[in-house]
Structure formats: structure tokens, C-alpha cells
Amino acid sequence: MYRTGDLVRYLPSGDIQYHGRIDNQVKIRGFRIELGEIEVVLLRHPSVKSAVVVAHENQGDKRLVAYLVPEVGEKLSSGEIKAHLRKTLPEYMVPSAFVTMEALPLTPNGKLDRRALPAPPQENPDRDEEYLRVRSPIEEVIAGIWAEVLKLGTQVVSRIRQVFQVELSVRSLFESPTVASLAQRIGEHLREKQGVSTPAMKRIPRDRRLPLSFAQQRLWFLDQLDPNATTYNMSWTVRISGALDVRAFERTLNEILHRHEVLRTAFQMVDDEPLQVIAPSISISLPLIDLTNLPGPDRLPATQHLAKEDVQRPFNLSEAPILRVQLVKLDEFDHVIILTTHHILFDRWSFSVFTKELAALYEASVADQPSSLPELTIQYVDYAVWQRQFLSGGILEQQLAYWRRQLQGAPDVLEIPTDHPRTAPVNQWANLHHQSLSEELGQEVKKMARSENATLFMVLIAGFNVLLAQYSQREDIMVGTDLANRTQVATETLIGFFVNLLPIRSKVNPHETFRSFLKSVRDTTLDAYAHQDVPFEKLVQELRPQRNRSHTPLVQILFVMQNTPKLTTEFGGLTLKALPVGIKSRFDLALFANADKQPQITWTFNPALFELSTIRRLADLYQRLLAEALGHPDERLSTLMDRVAKAEQERLATGEKQARDQDLEMLNKIRQKRRTPIKV
């Protein structure tokens, strides 16, 4: 007996299906790789019918490419396939590109024709999605460094030393070959420099007093002050197209409640202390509201009214579940799910966890199969206890000392010109303005980020800070940003309130260049990230800014990079699409940007303060200022601002002249009509 080197698998019929050779060995970045080993693991995936892996070389850069044929009726997700491979294979054996085909090309002899395989795409279509999911500024900076000097490990190490002031060996790159793992190692080095060691998060006994996390305690306290407030209510309203199995959907929702203790949690006072009280089990019913008796055009507006009405109903935080779900029937194959909850349980990332589990559990329920999701070893309450143990004593004091220095003397309010005066309380409902930056400008932003060892966020917020300085005529600018704050791997699969708000303070000196200003923004952001463990609620409690119901404390303006995982929108024959019902915001102005080739920026603003026309003008100014700054990064900020201001004045003057001309033309038409005899 001897091995032939052929790769085959047995079919249910007993026949053998040939898939190619198993002795194709290649060498990529110093690693010897048996391509057949990767193909064997790929074929273990239930949705893969055939697979072949090749080493593709382009301009001296060699990478692994997998060609896949799916089973009949199956759709292949490269993210899912990568996750499957990573369970068994080291990172260097996971292909960087995946090509789905109807069939693999064969020679007349029935063997694989490798020369007929199509060239892989120049860019991996999943790469942007993965880039969006970087969890921190450290990861994004490292991703940029890798992209710039991927082939030279020593250059990567030197760039990391330059940016983060930490010492790494080239060996570290091989021991931590992914952006995420390398970022984690650098984070550990930074913590060691500060004398901070992060304890492991572990499951705690449930028969003890279970404290709230710092963020939860802040929301609980605000609820005690105003129990009828709905400021922190959250709505997830989604239109579902397809043949919905209502009973299976209800079972799925209850399974998610069973998996996540936080969804079975109430917040109650015990001996003058708020504690988490977890119900051992809770079942919810899925009430069906049938709107098919209404005329077709009236059904969606009626549904949106129901959702908006529901999000305005307060919760009693002392009773679980702090969750309401309704199902609206528009037609036989058209439904809307209205889920309303409270921020004390959920954040934006949580909704992606929720939809991912919804997809997996619904498909299992419809097929009458057991859940394929692994048990959760850690729950949100374990995080809350870990946070309080970690953030205490010297560690807490050390981190707070940084924020005291950083925010000393900062203005309580960033006063920018508004169309209407502030009133108390803060308006909850916000308006939106959507802005698309050009693809060329998006590329320039990325190019600048890489050349300065910065991130897209750092470049974009630097430009935004300059805009705010010009608009407010102030140099001391403070803008907040949301951080996912899921620094422990176990927290990535949890529903809960993890997100943290970081104040980023910048001094905009009109005499420095944009390149110099970007460097200071980069350093400030990285310092803030290194001290991100202090919850924003703790900062407010510690710094005690002047309180005023007309604005939020410390930060009134946000700039957020959208890097949460995407929501699952297709599963079990269903397609999900968000149904807009309005958006709530506690801030004067909040910008949400993404990292697409053509970046999209959503301006969320308080209509009690700003008119839409003002926000549109600010958005235009921002794009023009960014273009100037990236085109002339070594010019003084004052020069850039003057040039943009002059262009804006010329535009307004042109607009006024055009408006006057249009008015004159309309007046002439009216006069002409008056002179024209009426025909009888």
C-alpha cells in the first residue's frame, strides 16, 4: 500500500469523487504549505461541494486563492468559510481570496485544469468589510502599516516602534500574524508600560450580589430621577420579506432570551444598592397585529406610527424582560418586526449579535434541528463584575489622573452658532442629512492615513475639528467618539451595554500645518484609547462639569467611525430590511462615517437647534476643507481656512445673484402675462 497523492472523497452512493492532487506544496512568506491540506478542510464544510486552492502570484506577491463550488441551493460566505478554516488551520494557511464557481474546469481526462481557473479579483471583496470591523485605533494603524510595508517584517517592527513606542521582535509578527492578534500584543505592552495588568474575565457564581456595570449604573440613576423618560429607549424595526414561520420565529426569540442572561435581567434596589437580578427563565409571546384590512398604501405608515409610539413608552427597569416585541402583518409574505428595548441592555454592536443568532436559530427551528450555536461561557454580568474588580484602587486612579490632566480647563460646552436658542430639556428626536464623499477624496483620506501612520478616523476627525474651529471661532475643540469597548474576545458574542464614549480634545493652532495637526490628533487619540477603560459615566462623576438640562455633559458633538459587524439580513428564505421610524439623539450634532471606497457620512442633528439648510452648508464646507487639507497638507491651517471661507463667500454671492436673476425673470413673466390680453 502506498499513497497516490490523489485527493478524493466518498459519495453517499459509495463512488469516489476525484478532487486533484494533495502533494502541491508551495512556499509563501517563509511558510511551506501543502495546498491539499487546505482543500481537505474546505471540503468538510457542508456547503462546499468542490474546492481547489492555488498560490497566485502577482507582481512578486504570492497569495493563496480558494476556488469553491457550492452544494446545490447553498450560498457561500467567505467570512463563514474563513471562520471554518481558522478552527483547524493556522492563519498563514487561510486563503486571502475566495472565488465561487458553478463548476471547476476539467481537462478531457476529467482532471482539474488549473490553467483554466479565472484570475482572482485584484482586491478581496471581503477585505473592506473586515477592515471596517477593526475594533480599535491600534488595529487600524497596524492595518495601515501592514498595507504599506507588507513584505518587510523589519519595516513593520520599526514603524510600530515609531508610532507606539514599544519594542517588538520580528518573531512577534509570526507569533501574532493577524492585525487583531498583533494589536492585542501591542495593547499588552502599552499596559505593561503603565504598570497595568488586565486580569482574565471569568464566570462568577450567581448566588452572590451582582453589581451593575458603571454604564448601567449611570442609566439606572437617570431613570430614578425621571422614571417616565424614554431618552434611552432603542427601536429595531425591520421589514421581513418571505414566507415567515411565525411560531418558529417566536421560539427563536425565546431561545435568544435563554442564551443571554442580560435579556432576563431586572435592576432592583437591595439594601440601598442597585443590583442585577437575573430570572432563571423568561418566555415572551409574539403578538400579531394584522393590518391587511387597511388599504395597501396605509399599511407601512400605520406600522411606522406603531413603532414610534412604542419607543415612546417607558420601561420599568425593576421588571424583566426590559424588552417588547410585536409582529405586524402587511401581507402573507410581508411582515414587520418591532423590537423596543433599553440602552441599559443593548448597544449598536449587540444588534449584530442579535441578528446573527436570530438567523442561525430560526433556520434550526424551521428545520426542527438543535441549535448549532456554542454555549456562552461568559455573560454580561461577568463583565460587570470584572470591570469593577479591574477598575479600582491604583489602576482607576492612574487612568483618572490622565483624564484630569487631559480635560483640565476644557469648556463645559462647545458653543457653535445655531439657528435657534438652546432650550431645556434636550430634544430627543433628530433629523438626518446623508453625505457622500467622492471616491477620489476617499482614496486621498486613506493615502494620508497610511503615510502618517494614522487611521481613517483620525484624518476625518482632524478635518472636522478644523471645521468646528473655523465655525465656532474657537481653538479648544472637544468632540466625543464611541468605542465598542469589547477588548476581551469573549465579549464579542455578547448582547449588552459595552460601548464607551471617549472625549477627544484638540487645540487647533491656526499657525500649524494640517500634517502637524493630524499627528497631534493621532497621538491624542492613541492616548485616549490607552485609557479607554474609564467609563464616560465615571469621568462625569469625577470631573463634575456644570450640569444643564439643555445639553449633555462634557461632550455635545460626536464623530463616530462605524466599525460594528454588519447585520445579518438574509436567512431561512427571509430578507430583512430596516424600516425607518425616526432616530433619537441626545447630542447637538453627531457624524457617523464608514470606510467605503466612497465614504458615506450621516449628519445627525438636533432640529431644535439647526435647520437642514445649515447642516447641508456645513457638510459642503467639510468636504471642501478636507479636499484642501489633503491637497495641501503642509500649508498652515489659517491659509486653508481662509481659502475655504473665500470660496464659500463667492458661492453665496453667486447664489444670491442667481436668486436675484430668477426673481427678476419671474417678475418679468408676471408683467408679461398682465400685458397679454385675455382670450375669450
Side-chain angles (χ1 to χ4, degrees), residues 319-392:
E319 295 180 3
I322 306 172
L323 182 80
R324 293 189 293 264
V325 188
Q326 304 174 75
L327 183 66
V328 180
K329 183 177 182 180
L330 305 178
D331 210 334
E332 184 179 358
F333 300 107
D334 195 0
H335 295 78
V336 174
I337 186 80
I338 301 173
L339 185 150
T340 306
T341 185
H342 194 282
H343 203 6
I344 203 167
L345 305 185
F346 260 78
D347 57 17
R348 190 185 299 269
W349 185 299
S350 297
F351 282 112
S352 66
V353 175
F354 179 83
T355 57
K356 184 178 180 180
E357 295 199 355
L358 188 72
L361 295 171
Y362 176 79
E363 289 181 342
S365 183
V366 168
D368 199 23
Q369 296 291 325
S371 166
S372 60
L373 296 176
E375 288 292 321
L376 296 171
T377 56
I378 294 292
Q379 296 276 349
Y380 185 84
V381 69
D382 301 307
Y383 161 78
V385 172
W386 170 87
Q387 183 191 51
R388 287 187 174 271
Q389 290 176 343
F390 170 55
L391 273 183
S392 60

Side-chain angles (χ1 to χ4, degrees), residues 606-674:
N606 184 348
L609 294 177
F610 300 103
E611 294 292 334
L612 176 59
S613 57
T614 299
I615 297 301
R616 283 176 175 160
R617 187 165 66 87
L618 278 175
D620 290 342
L621 281 172
Y622 177 52
Q623 179 157 338
R624 199 172 298 126
L625 185 57
L626 260 184
E628 286 288 342
L630 297 176
H632 308 89
D634 295 311
E635 287 190 4
R636 288 184 175 185
L637 294 179
S638 57
T639 304
L640 299 175
M641 291 190 282
D642 288 346
R643 192 181 298 138
V644 170
K646 184 179 179 182
E648 174 68 3
Q649 290 170 357
E650 291 174 354
R651 188 185 71 82
L652 290 174
T654 303
E656 289 174 1
K657 182 178 183 302
Q658 289 175 345
R660 287 196 302 270
D661 291 345
Q662 288 171 357
D663 291 344
L664 186 60
E665 184 181 354
M666 180 62 69
L667 184 61
N668 288 334
K669 286 180 179 178
I670 293 171
R671 287 171 177 167
Q672 185 63 35
K673 281 185 179 181
R674 287 175 179 170

Side-chain angles (χ1 to χ4, degrees), residues 132-148:
L132 278 173
R133 285 203 287 251
V134 292
R135 296 169 298 177
S136 69
I138 290 181
E139 287 190 14
E140 193 174 345
V141 170
I142 294 170
I145 292 174
W146 273 116
E148 194 72 20

Side-chain angles (χ1 to χ4, degrees), residues 406 408 475-477 505-509 512 517 520 637:
Q406 181 65 15
Q408 184 178 10
E475 296 183 6
D476 196 346
I477 304 296
R505 187 182 184 186
S506 299
K507 300 291 182 67
V508 183
N509 181 351
E512 70 176 324
F517 178 61
S520 69
L637 294 179

Side-chain angles (χ1 to χ4, degrees), residues 184-227:
Q184 185 174 355
R185 177 170 289 214
I186 291 172
E188 291 168 358
H189 277 275
L190 291 173
R191 289 180 183 279
E192 286 174 9
K193 285 178 68 176
Q194 299 171 21
V196 176
S197 60
T198 307
M201 194 180 298
K202 57 186 179 181
R203 186 175 178 85
I204 60 160
R206 297 302 190 256
D207 58 356
R208 53 171 285 183
R209 297 167 77 93
L210 303 174
L212 282 62
S213 70
F214 289 117
Q216 284 181 327
Q217 185 161 331
R218 174 70 180 162
L219 294 194
W220 176 86
F221 175 73
L222 292 174
D223 183 76
Q224 300 301 298
L225 293 178
D226 187 358

Side-chain angles (χ1 to χ4, degrees), residues 234 343 346-354 482 486 496-499 560-565 567 583 592:
M234 304 177 75
H343 203 6
F346 260 78
D347 57 17
R348 190 185 299 269
W349 185 299
S350 297
F351 282 112
S352 66
V353 175
F354 179 83
D482 281 344
R486 294 175 184 248
F497 181 20
F498 292 91
V499 67
V560 179
M561 207 73 189
Q562 306 245 48
N563 61 356
T564 55
L567 302 184
I583 186 171
F592 296 89

